[in-house]
Amino acid sequence: KTLAFVEVNDGSSLSGMQCVLTFDDIDDDTKEEINKLTTGCAVNVLGKVVKSQGGKQAYELSGASLRIVGECAGDAYPLAKKRHSLEYLRTIAHLRPRTNTVAAVARVRSALAGSIHKFFQDQGFLYVQTPLITASDCEGAGEMFRVTTLDLDDVSGLPLAEDEDGKKTNGVNYDEDFFGKPAFLTVSGQLGAETHACALGDVYTFGPTFRAENSQTTRHLAEFNMVEPEMAFADLTSAMDNAESMLKFVVKDALDKCDEDLTFFNKFYQKDLKERLAKLVTEPFARVAYRDAIKYLQEEIAKDPSKWQFPEVEFGTDLATEHERWLAETKFKSCVFVYDYPKSIKAFYMR
């Protein structure tokens, strides 16, 4: 042997760095360590960054020494050099951050979170942290994860509530629970943000929220981070302006900082991703009144109602996903605000 090539990756980018170790220039300990290298092990390599003589990378590390600092059983390492399904990666959650997809998602999410905070901070918003455990059902849907210290493995031992006559009921007496009342994981920080906005002006929350809706579709998550701005003395136009400005700022920041990761997504997941994101940044969002949106939909559906799952559209109809997608993807070919909905079909917190 005269050369050893080792590819290392510290997680800071999609591409790893090639380390070239010339046997005439390395010590005997390094030669022994090279023979022990396995996929997935952790190494400490010392050397000089030089221009690469190969065509796959601009730079490489001319290594002087290598030490294994974390061993890995290569024959049992479950990540091969091939594309793994996301379902398979869920079975090895402790290793999936090492894959291209999950690592790229983590880097993009980090950039997005940082730019969300920067946007609102630069706009003079105050960041407030609202409770994750709450007794309030903020959105009124009732599908919440319950938080309790009562022993649910001993159902017979649960304290029972009493009716006004002092008789035991089938309901649990939450007076004996940790908080003295039913408690849940929050579905939204909106109520807390609204109270802060009334005292502090423009505020925003950005934290975990939880939904216990038992849906297996890609549109529903049990846990996610949600951004919720609340602006004092704002009108509908300023709310739309804020949302559009925030999205443009955040997406542009991701395009600038995460080009390699977005190019990866563009190649393997959505061919026109970068083009669509660039268009979002450069073109204004469409704004259409609800009444006009209904008219556009009625005209389109009338051409062939059989193509639509929900062809019955009239004033007062709550727009379905297929209606929203047609407006955005076909009618306007851009992001779309639909405003001036009839308040009777919107949630109580939007009226």
Side-chain angles (χ1 to χ4, degrees):
K1 290 182 179 180
T2 58
L3 292 174
F5 297 91
V6 181
E7 184 177 352
V8 297
N9 191 299
D10 64 358
S12 61
S13 66
L14 191 66
S15 303
M17 172 168 276
Q18 178 175 269
C19 301
V20 182
L21 297 117
T22 304
F23 274 55
D24 290 340
D25 299 330
I26 58 178
D27 55 37
D28 290 338
D29 288 340
T30 296
K31 294 176 183 178
E32 290 184 13
E33 293 285 84
I34 289 174
N35 292 327
K36 300 176 186 177
L37 288 174
T38 58
T39 301
C41 68
V43 296
N44 184 340
V45 185
L46 296 178
K48 293 181 178 180
V49 176
V50 297
K51 287 187 176 181
S52 178
Q53 297 181 17
K56 293 184 178 180
Q57 60 279 321
Y59 296 93
E60 62 189 22
L61 185 73
S62 178
S65 70
L66 179 148
R67 298 292 184 270
I68 296 174
V69 295
E71 296 181 351
C72 180
D75 55 347
Y77 192 65
L79 291 176
K81 273 202 168 184
K82 65 177 185 179
R83 191 173 182 180
H84 296 288
S85 69
L86 297 179
E87 289 74 20
Y88 171 70
L89 294 180
R90 291 189 186 102
T91 68
I92 49 171
H94 62 302
L95 293 176
R96 63 183 179 181
R98 300 186 181 197
T99 63
N100 288 339
T101 294
V102 177
V105 168
R107 286 187 292 267
V108 173
R109 283 176 61 98
S110 176
L112 291 173
S115 58
I116 286 170
H117 281 295
K118 179 170 174 53
F119 172 82
F120 284 111
Q121 293 288 324
D122 289 350
Q123 294 290 319
F125 282 68
L126 193 71
Y127 174 43
V128 296
Q129 298 82 32
T130 54
L132 297 185
I133 300 175
T134 178
S136 300
D137 181 2
C138 180
E139 297 189 349
E143 295 169 328
M144 307 173 71
F145 290 104
R146 189 180 296 275
V147 177
T148 181
T149 57
L150 297 176
D151 187 1
L152 301 183
D153 291 326
D154 181 17
V155 177
S156 62
L158 292 175
L160 297 179
E162 298 179 352
D163 60 20
E164 55 187 16
D165 297 323
K167 296 181 180 179
K168 297 289 186 181
T169 68
N170 292 326
V172 173
N173 179 11
Y174 286 99
D175 289 343
E176 299 188 27
D177 203 355
F178 186 90
F179 294 103
K181 63 176 69 175
F184 309 89
L185 294 179
T186 184
V187 298
S188 169
Q190 184 176 349
L191 287 177
E194 287 176 349
T195 59
H196 281 76
C198 290
L200 303 170
D202 295 343
V203 302
Y204 73 103
T205 70
F206 183 24
T209 53
F210 308 87
R211 305 290 171 89
E213 181 177 359
N214 190 17
S215 173
Q216 304 303 315
T217 72
T218 56
R219 292 174 59 84
H220 295 90
L221 293 170
E223 176 184 353
F224 56 95
N225 278 41
M226 184 158 61
V227 184
E228 295 177 284
E230 292 292 341
M231 298 183 289
F233 309 111
D235 58 17
L236 194 57
T237 298
S238 59
M240 289 190 286
D241 289 344
N242 177 265
E244 181 172 351
S245 297
M246 187 273 286
L247 283 171
K248 288 180 180 293
F249 180 90
V250 168
V251 172
K252 184 180 185 306
D253 200 52
L255 286 169
D256 292 341
K257 295 178 178 177
C258 305
D259 181 70
E260 185 182 30
D261 293 320
L262 293 176
T263 299
F264 170 77
F265 295 144
N266 199 92
K267 180 178 180 181
F268 291 104
Y269 287 96
Q270 187 171 329
K271 299 300 182 184
D272 62 344
L273 174 64
K274 292 180 69 176
E275 179 184 348
R276 293 177 65 182
L277 292 177
K279 183 177 180 180
L280 182 150
V281 171
T282 58
E283 297 186 8
F285 290 11
R287 302 188 182 191
V288 56
Y290 170 84
R291 188 181 297 274
D292 292 332
I294 293 296
K295 182 185 71 172
Y296 297 143
L297 285 163
Q298 289 174 332
E299 292 171 352
E300 182 65 22
I301 292 172
K303 297 175 183 177
D304 189 354
S306 64
K307 293 182 177 180
W308 299 77
Q309 183 179 1
F310 301 103
E312 299 298 327
V313 174
E314 60 185 15
F315 191 88
T317 298
D318 196 1
L319 299 184
T321 299
E322 63 174 346
H323 303 143
E324 296 171 341
R325 290 193 63 174
W326 179 82
L327 289 168
E329 297 174 4
T330 303
K331 177 63 178 177
F332 295 102
K333 294 182 172 60
S334 72
C335 297
V336 179
F337 288 110
V338 179
Y339 60 91
D340 284 349
Y341 271 83
K343 68 177 183 179
S344 59
I345 64 173
K346 302 307 290 183
F348 70 91
Y349 51 84
M350 297 180 68
R351 298 174 186 170

